[in-house]
Amino acid sequence: MKIIPFYKNESQLIKKASSGNRDAQERLYKKHAPKMLSVCRQYIKDVHFAEDVMVQGFLKMFNNLDTFKFEGSFEGWLRRIMIRESISYLRKQQFVVYDDEVYEKNQSEEISQSTDLDTEHIQQLIDKLPQGYKMVFVLYTVEGYKHKEIAEMLSITESTSKTQLLKARKLLQDQLRQQNIIGYGNR
């Protein structure tokens, strides 16, 4: 039995989905949902809320799919939607505080004493950062945005973005030192 694909490439799938084809929309969702949940999870600590934000991002994507111009990668376009939805969610929840001078260490959660830095462990360390630090850190380090772009996205100054990143790195280094993980984060 020969399996014949419904759509030969993603461009076809996107065009069908933008015309309202439910099968194509479902295929796009299933293809990109795991990665997009990871994107949302980088910003939002609780996986259930991250999943809600991801679903909202997909709704926004499907409503605006006809604006995708096929000039860049579809995944990159979708990723930007998810990042903006995550930031928007955090702003609505008023979890984001940008502080140029004072920060507190969030010691409410214990992290297992492990020297093996797996992805979940790293995410737990990042989750302990104050929300403002975390957003700037992820946007700069993981997503590759420049400080000017971050400042525009978050409605902060470029110097605040730089300060938040420096403080985030210092807090991460302190956490690593406390866990006796030597050599990580030192430059």
Side-chain angles (χ1 to χ4, degrees):
M1 172 183 236
K2 184 177 179 183
I3 297 175
I4 302 170
F6 284 116
Y7 309 102
K8 293 185 190 254
N9 60 37
E10 192 170 64
S11 298
Q12 259 187 315
L13 189 62
I14 293 166
K15 288 175 186 172
K16 286 285 188 183
S18 72
S19 69
N21 183 301
R22 296 287 183 205
D23 179 58
Q25 290 174 346
E26 181 181 2
R27 288 173 183 270
L28 271 180
Y29 179 85
K30 285 181 178 179
K31 179 178 181 183
H32 293 285
K35 279 186 183 177
M36 296 307 117
L37 180 58
S38 293
V39 169
C40 295
R41 175 61 185 84
Q42 289 173 333
Y43 296 90
I44 301 166
K45 187 175 185 176
D46 186 301
V47 71
H48 296 97
F49 291 127
E51 191 172 342
D52 290 345
V53 170
M54 179 199 68
V55 169
Q56 288 296 333
F58 270 101
L59 287 173
K60 184 172 269 186
M61 180 271 293
F62 286 127
N63 288 331
N64 295 293
L65 196 54
D66 57 337
T67 66
F68 179 65
K69 305 288 187 220
F70 297 93
E71 292 171 355
S73 86
F74 176 74
E75 186 177 312
W77 181 76
L78 181 55
R79 186 179 194 93
R80 285 187 295 281
I81 291 172
M82 295 299 165
I83 291 168
R84 287 190 177 98
E85 285 298 303
S86 297
I87 291 169
S88 177
Y89 167 81
L90 291 170
R91 280 190 178 145
K92 287 177 189 169
Q93 300 302 314
Q94 298 180 350
F95 287 140
V96 182
V97 176
Y98 297 102
D99 184 5
D100 279 331
E101 296 178 24
V102 181
Y103 61 89
E104 290 182 32
K105 292 182 182 180
N106 181 359
Q107 299 296 333
S108 63
E109 276 187 52
E110 280 293 316
I111 295 181
S112 65
Q113 295 292 328
S114 169
T115 58
D116 189 16
L117 283 179
D118 61 6
T119 304
E120 187 58 33
H121 187 101
I122 292 168
Q123 186 64 54
Q124 288 174 353
L125 292 173
I126 293 170
D127 283 343
K128 290 183 83 175
L129 294 172
Q131 195 61 48
Y133 295 5
K134 178 180 174 180
M135 284 178 44
V136 171
F137 180 82
V138 172
L139 287 169
Y140 185 86
T141 308
V142 178
E143 302 297 338
Y145 285 98
K146 304 292 181 211
H147 286 293
K148 183 176 181 178
E149 296 169 311
I150 295 169
E152 290 172 9
M153 287 174 79
L154 301 179
S155 302
I156 59 175
T157 66
E158 206 170 324
S159 64
T160 299
S161 176
K162 290 176 182 178
T163 301
Q164 298 290 302
L165 179 63
L166 287 172
K167 289 180 178 182
R169 284 181 173 166
K170 177 158 180 14
L171 281 175
L172 287 172
Q173 288 172 354
D174 290 347
Q175 288 179 34
L176 292 169
R177 265 189 228 102
Q178 287 174 357
Q179 295 180 18
N180 294 319
I181 301 172
I182 313 276
Y184 285 92
N186 293 329
R187 287 188 175 182

